Amino acid sequence: MALSGMEIFKLLPKTNCRECGMATCIAFAMSLAADKIELEACPYVSDEAKAKLAQAEAPPIKLVTIGSGDQALKIGGESVMFRHDKRFNNPTGLAICISDTASEADLDARLKRFQRVRYCRMGCELRAELVAIKNELQDARKFAHTVETVRKGSDARIILMSDDPEIMAAGLKACAGSKPLICSATSANAESMIELAAAHDCPLVAKAQGLEELTALSSRLADAGVQEIVLDTGARTVREALADQVHIRRAAIHQAVESLSYPTITFPCEMTNDLSMETLIAAMFIAKYAGIVVLSDFQAESIFPLLLERMELFSDPQDPLMTPEGVYEIGAPDRHAPVLLASSWALTYYNLTLAAEVSRTPIFLCFQEISEPDVMCWCHHCLRSTQKGKFDAPSTIRFIKDCKLEERVDHRKLVISARNAQFSAELESALPEWEIIVGPGEASQLTGFLPELAEE
Ligand code: SF4
């Protein structure tokens, strides 16, 4: 359970030395409780206090990792019932289910679509991450062949679906080293599946018929040393599955029920034969509270709204969504393309990209990460909102120099928003080789401005 500010305060040195940047230890404690500062900011916390705080701060829903290296997908790690309480941390993994009965042509087509359907929104890549390979033929060689084909034809993280330990062993051998999710251990095969999970260092699904059996099974797996468990209540009707999801989240967050403190897997693919209805069901489980949603398949038009919903839901409501700092090419800018400076607020990225596309003017966007993004934003909303922060010219000058724009463009014109007009002289004197052009105050006005600038 997370500690309150006062409980954290009792573990601090209480010297009010201010080295953490806060005026007092109590202020530091309150900020730590609100997740606004890192514990490492105080150099004087004892090891004992650190251990207590780490234990208290561990999320009630345990973290499970599927895949390895750069391909690792984390699910779980959640600590709240509702996003507005704090935030949701690890986005629901989206999987498509492929049976080992699929023909080579069907398999190839579905893997190609899996690889192709992805979107870039506000600098983030949106896509499905997982392929669930379902054993239906009871043929270990065919299952292993399907697993190999999925591995060769995609970069998907893998879920192996079989209740037969021998077939599961063949599947694990076919994707050795990729840390797939083993799906599933049941009360009938638990011992063999535990051995496989331990031998291959893989997370394991506990599948039961109902919450009571699931509680017992997950305790059995944990007692046997399985640390990464994913819960499947066995419910395959929407009503039952939803009730189970809510019950599990409540039990983990409010009652600290250890055996239910794991992420869950849900199967909309087994709840309907209609792709549109399946998409709606999946949308519900993304919101309530699935760690993984397994789809029968997807088309671009069915997965896109799910990806957008997931992106919104798992963004931090207390922090604006940011695009990583850097120089972005919008369109295919050549060496004469306009260069714009903006804050790395994702909304700004969206607005400026839209303006470039509508005006058919490729541009370079220099996004600087700053603590008060609305200072350098080009949004209509921000122009009307109270400007809280201050434009920090020295850090912007450093950022522009680091961008090495002279290696990308032949001209030396840098466009800033009208809201930063008063700093154009300061920027120009610090960057004498650059002409600072004060553009419109909001992105919508750039559609006329950019083509004219590009023609100069
Ligand atoms: Fe207190 Fe530590 Fe901050 Fe010093 S650095 S004021 S001891 S919390």
Side-chain angles (χ1 to χ4, degrees):
M1 284 283 192
L3 297 179
S4 67
M6 284 313 292
E7 287 167 326
I8 295 172
F9 175 63
K10 288 176 190 163
L11 298 170
L12 295 177
K14 307 183 192 69
T15 57
N16 298 335
C17 70
R18 298 184 174 211
E19 280 191 45
C20 57
M22 308 299 290
T24 59
C25 290
I26 184 82
F28 177 85
M30 294 301 170
S31 295
L32 190 61
D35 214 16
K36 289 181 178 165
I37 199 166
E38 297 293 324
L39 180 61
E40 289 69 35
C42 171
Y44 303 112
V45 183
S46 69
D47 288 345
E48 189 191 350
K50 271 185 194 162
K52 275 190 192 164
L53 285 166
Q55 196 180 11
E57 293 308 309
I61 310 268
K62 294 184 180 62
L63 198 63
V64 170
T65 305
I66 304 165
S68 54
D70 292 347
Q71 296 295 309
L73 175 77
K74 292 186 188 309
I75 58 169
E78 303 299 343
S79 57
V80 291
M81 283 296 292
F82 304 107
R83 176 179 177 263
H84 59 260
D85 288 340
K86 194 173 183 184
R87 64 173 173 267
F88 291 159
N89 291 317
N90 292 296
T92 307
L94 292 175
I96 58 162
C97 186
I98 291 180
S99 165
D100 57 5
T101 59
S103 67
E104 295 291 326
D106 183 32
L107 191 51
D108 183 57
R110 296 183 70 191
L111 288 177
K112 281 191 173 135
R113 187 161 64 242
F114 179 87
Q115 288 298 103
R116 191 181 65 242
V117 177
R118 55 186 72 192
Y119 304 91
C120 179
R121 194 164 173 91
M122 301 183 193
C124 303
E125 186 180 64
L126 308 182
R127 58 167 301 193
E129 303 86 5
L130 296 138
V131 171
I133 304 160
K134 188 175 184 182
N135 162 234
E136 291 188 291
L137 286 178
Q138 299 308 317
D139 178 342
R141 282 178 52 193
K142 182 71 172 93
F143 186 62
H145 173 72
T146 308
V147 174
E148 279 166 12
T149 308
V150 170
R151 277 203 84 186
K152 281 184 194 148
S154 76
D155 58 358
R157 276 66 107 196
I158 289 172
I159 304 172
L160 298 174
M161 293 177 65
S162 176
D163 292 347
D164 183 325
E166 276 185 32
I167 291 174
M168 183 59 73
L172 284 164
K173 199 171 161 197
C175 59
S178 63
K179 200 181 177 189
L181 174 63
I182 298 176
C183 180
S184 316
T186 63
S187 48
N189 68 13
E191 295 313 318
S192 306
M193 290 299 188
I194 289 167
E195 275 177 32
L196 287 171
H200 295 268
D201 189 24
C202 291
L204 180 57
V205 174
K207 179 184 176 185
Q209 295 305 317
L211 287 165
E212 203 174 319
E213 188 188 329
L214 184 63
T215 306
L217 180 59
S218 101
S219 298
R220 188 173 157 194
L221 301 188
D223 290 346
V226 182
Q227 292 183 344
E228 296 190 286
I229 298 172
V230 177
L231 303 175
D232 176 6
T233 67
R236 295 296 184 265
T237 65
V238 178
R239 180 188 285 257
E240 278 179 349
L242 175 61
D244 287 349
Q245 293 301 308
V246 175
H247 182 98
I248 289 171
R249 178 62 68 99
R250 272 207 198 113
I253 303 284
H254 293 317
Q255 290 145 20
V257 177
E258 192 73 16
S259 53
L260 294 179
S261 297
Y262 299 99
T264 60
I265 185 167
T266 58
F267 294 88
C269 58
E270 296 181 19
M271 296 178 190
T272 176
N273 292 321
D274 179 87
L275 185 62
S276 300
M277 180 54 74
E278 187 183 316
T279 304
L280 280 175
I281 296 168
M284 185 191 68
F285 285 127
I286 289 172
K288 296 271 174 196
Y289 293 106
I292 297 173
V293 167
V294 183
L295 304 162
S296 60
D297 198 359
F298 61 72
Q299 299 292 333
E301 66 273 18
S302 68
I303 194 83
F304 183 63
L306 295 181
L307 295 169
L308 277 192
E309 178 205 6
R310 184 178 69 169
M311 183 185 191
E312 290 295 324
L313 204 57
F314 284 84
S315 63
D316 188 340
Q318 296 171 51
D319 273 337
L321 200 57
M322 306 302 281
T323 304
E325 184 173 276
V327 182
Y328 290 77
E329 296 184 4
I330 307 301
D334 60 19
R335 298 189 67 80
H336 306 288
V339 179
L340 276 70
L341 173 67
S343 66
S344 61
W345 203 333
L347 193 58
T348 311
Y349 178 93
Y350 175 73
N351 282 332
L352 294 182
T353 302
L354 194 64
E357 285 172 358
V358 169
S359 65
R360 299 188 179 176
T361 311
I363 56 174
F364 288 98
L365 282 181
C366 302
F367 277 117
Q368 186 190 2
E369 191 177 323
I370 51 175
S371 56
E372 297 287 353
D374 64 341
V375 173
M376 290 206 302
C377 187
W378 298 64
C379 305
H380 180 60
H381 162 77
C382 292
L383 281 176
R384 289 188 300 170
S385 71
T386 310
Q387 192 169 322
K388 290 176 283 178
K390 284 194 177 142
F391 182 80
D392 179 4
S395 81
T396 299
I397 289 160
R398 267 196 311 277
F399 168 67
I400 292 295
K401 286 180 177 168
D402 290 346
C403 285
K404 299 195 186 325
L405 292 164
E406 57 283 357
E407 294 176 7
R408 296 185 177 221
V409 290
D410 290 336
H411 66 81
R412 295 292 179 268
K413 292 177 183 170
L414 178 65
V415 184
I416 63 172
S417 162
R419 67 190 314 176
N420 302 131
Q422 68 269 41
F423 301 103
S424 60
E426 191 175 351
L427 287 176
E428 225 158 29
S429 77
L431 301 164
E433 66 278 26
W434 286 89
E435 178 188 352
I436 305 300
I437 296 179
V438 176
E442 61 178 282
S444 61
Q445 296 162 342
L446 283 168
T447 50
F449 176 84
L450 287 175
E452 284 175 22
L453 189 68
E455 279 172 20
E456 279 181 15

